[in-house]
Amino acid sequence: MATQKGAFMRGLDHMIIKEIEKPAAGPGNVVVALEYIGICGSDIHYYHAGKVGAYTVDLTQDYMLGHEAAGTVVEVGEGVTNLQVGDRVALEPGVTCGHCEFCKTGYYNLCPDVQFLATPPVPGCNEEFIEHPADWCFKLPDNVSTKEGALIEPLSVGFHAANQGGVGVGDTVVILGSGCIGLCTLLSAKAHGAGQIIVADIVEARLNKAKELGADVVINSGKENVLERVAELTGGRGADKVFETSGAAVCIQQTPYLARRGGVVVLVGISVQSDISYSFAQIMDKELTIKSVFRYRNIFPKAIAAVAKGAIDVKQIVTHEFDFDHIDDAYQKCVNNRTDLVKAVIKVKG
């Protein structure tokens, strides 16, 4: 039996590497030799707290995390015609049923039977090789690296957020949270033609990165009053579009106060709290539209094209890179380093 290395969380705040079976390509599938795997905020929540929203890890068993990945096809299964050995691909991690009303109407991210990598109980992709449906592997152009390919997944969340918010040319945009998803939302809002972009966070390194990526104004919400500062920056009008990407309850509660009358609030970050008090008086008085984001749909080809064209420079988000043998160190740094770590990736091979 051919084997490969796989990384598994064992309990909380601990990851081990062990030998597991190397996959073979079944009908309609390919085997991808992974080269880069991103570490998502949800991975860190599972690793450190054992849950994200309604999804909980069974801590009595080893569990594999990871869902942001790219690499090179090394084996092609029967019936696959869109890919061949040697193609470099980004993996869309959610495999849907294809038959329900949501899949058939194009809203496949809402498929109730989706099998999404690293969403319990479905295992993730923190391994050297993965078998994945060819239809969910997207070929990368020659000028897009596999490191960038691994970032297409979080970029797609930001892209979907901008689409949900209907960001248009000249819009004033507020983004609460400048972690990876907040930064991807920033890049996507810029690509959609946003005018003034204001980003708030409590971590200075993340704010510096937001400024580097094109934010017009950054606000350290640990030192300044976000509501007062946004009112000042917008002449009391408020923002056209407000994106909450941190999942922090206090930030979610701020969103209706930051939006202009008739504006749009987009909830992107998932809170660890399922119930949060919210000012519906503000929503009714301003006739706000509230949108939410659950992953993404029909975005990967567009996101890859935007990166290939140079419209979005997603690789700038990465601040730390670790090799696969030090994956536990990488996760520990993500949990404990809030000084200068914004986005970490694992270099598997290549």
Side-chain angles (χ1 to χ4, degrees):
M1 180 184 74
T3 63
Q4 62 162 333
K5 290 180 182 178
F8 295 79
M9 62 177 285
R10 178 169 286 177
L12 298 179
D13 292 325
H14 181 54
M15 193 169 290
I16 56 101
I17 294 175
K18 60 185 181 182
E19 290 290 319
I20 58 174
E21 185 176 357
K22 180 182 175 182
N29 295 345
V30 296
V31 172
V32 179
L34 297 179
E35 295 172 15
Y36 280 94
I37 306 167
I39 299 178
C40 176
S42 65
D43 292 320
I44 297 307
H45 283 308
Y46 288 129
Y47 175 80
H48 184 60
K51 65 177 183 176
V52 174
Y55 301 102
T56 303
V57 176
D58 179 359
L59 296 176
T60 66
Q61 303 179 50
D62 294 342
Y63 183 65
M64 181 183 287
L65 297 170
H67 62 266
E68 304 172 357
T72 300
V73 175
V74 293
E75 185 183 338
V76 174
E78 179 185 351
V80 174
T81 58
N82 60 318
L83 294 172
Q84 58 187 4
V85 171
D87 284 343
R88 296 155 52 258
V89 295
L91 277 60
E92 184 165 346
V95 179
T96 61
C97 76
H99 306 297
C100 68
E101 76 171 284
F102 304 103
C103 288
K104 288 182 176 180
T105 55
Y107 292 84
Y108 67 81
N109 60 316
L110 303 180
C111 173
D113 296 317
V114 63
Q115 299 290 297
F116 198 94
L117 297 180
T119 297
V122 181
C125 64
N126 281 343
E127 55 191 341
E128 294 179 295
F129 298 88
I130 187 170
E131 181 190 14
H132 204 63
D135 286 345
W136 298 100
C137 295
F138 293 86
K139 192 173 177 180
L140 298 173
D142 291 341
N143 66 334
V144 176
S145 68
T146 49
K147 182 189 287 190
E148 291 169 309
L151 298 170
I152 295 300
E153 198 277 342
L155 178 59
S156 294
V157 177
F159 225 102
H160 185 44
N163 287 345
Q164 287 286 82
V167 175
V169 175
D171 278 347
T172 296
V173 171
V174 167
I175 301 171
L176 301 178
S178 58
C180 178
I181 298 302
L183 295 175
C184 286
T185 302
L186 161 62
L187 290 171
S188 300
K190 277 183 59 182
H192 280 70
Q196 185 181 39
I197 301 178
I198 303 163
V199 178
D201 202 297
I202 59 174
V203 180
E204 204 63 38
R206 293 181 174 182
L207 292 173
N208 291 338
K209 180 61 73 171
K211 193 71 173 175
E212 178 186 329
L213 294 178
D216 297 288
V217 181
V218 296
I219 303 170
N220 188 320
S221 50
K223 300 177 181 178
E224 296 184 77
N225 184 303
V226 175
L227 304 186
E228 292 177 359
R229 185 75 173 112
V230 169
E232 175 189 334
L233 290 166
T234 62
R237 176 177 179 270
D240 297 297
K241 311 291 164 62
V242 177
F243 296 89
E244 202 301 304
T245 70
S246 73
V250 65
C251 294
I252 293 171
Q253 291 167 332
Q254 288 175 335
T255 54
Y257 295 94
L258 295 167
R260 67 162 173 84
R261 290 181 174 275
V264 179
V265 170
V266 183
L267 303 176
V268 187
I270 300 176
S271 175
V272 294
Q273 299 174 233
S274 56
D275 297 308
I276 297 170
S277 61
Y278 202 65
S279 177
F280 283 91
Q282 282 286 310
I283 295 163
M284 299 297 291
D285 185 59
K286 292 181 174 181
E287 200 173 280
L288 298 180
T289 297
I290 300 177
K291 294 287 190 77
S292 61
V293 165
F294 186 64
R295 298 169 180 156
Y296 38 77
R297 54 180 175 263
N298 308 306
I299 300 290
F300 263 56
K302 293 180 181 179
I304 291 170
V307 173
K309 181 72 174 178
I312 294 179
D313 188 1
V314 72
K315 65 180 178 294
Q316 288 189 67
I317 291 175
V318 176
T319 55
H320 289 68
E321 183 176 312
F322 300 82
D323 62 56
F324 191 80
D325 288 338
H326 293 91
I327 192 169
D328 191 50
D329 293 337
Y331 273 73
Q332 287 289 334
K333 285 278 175 60
C334 289
V335 170
N336 298 310
N337 182 350
R338 294 178 62 84
T339 304
D340 60 356
L341 191 149
V342 178
K343 177 66 174 181
V345 296
I346 304 301
K347 184 175 183 180
V348 185
K349 57 180 63 177

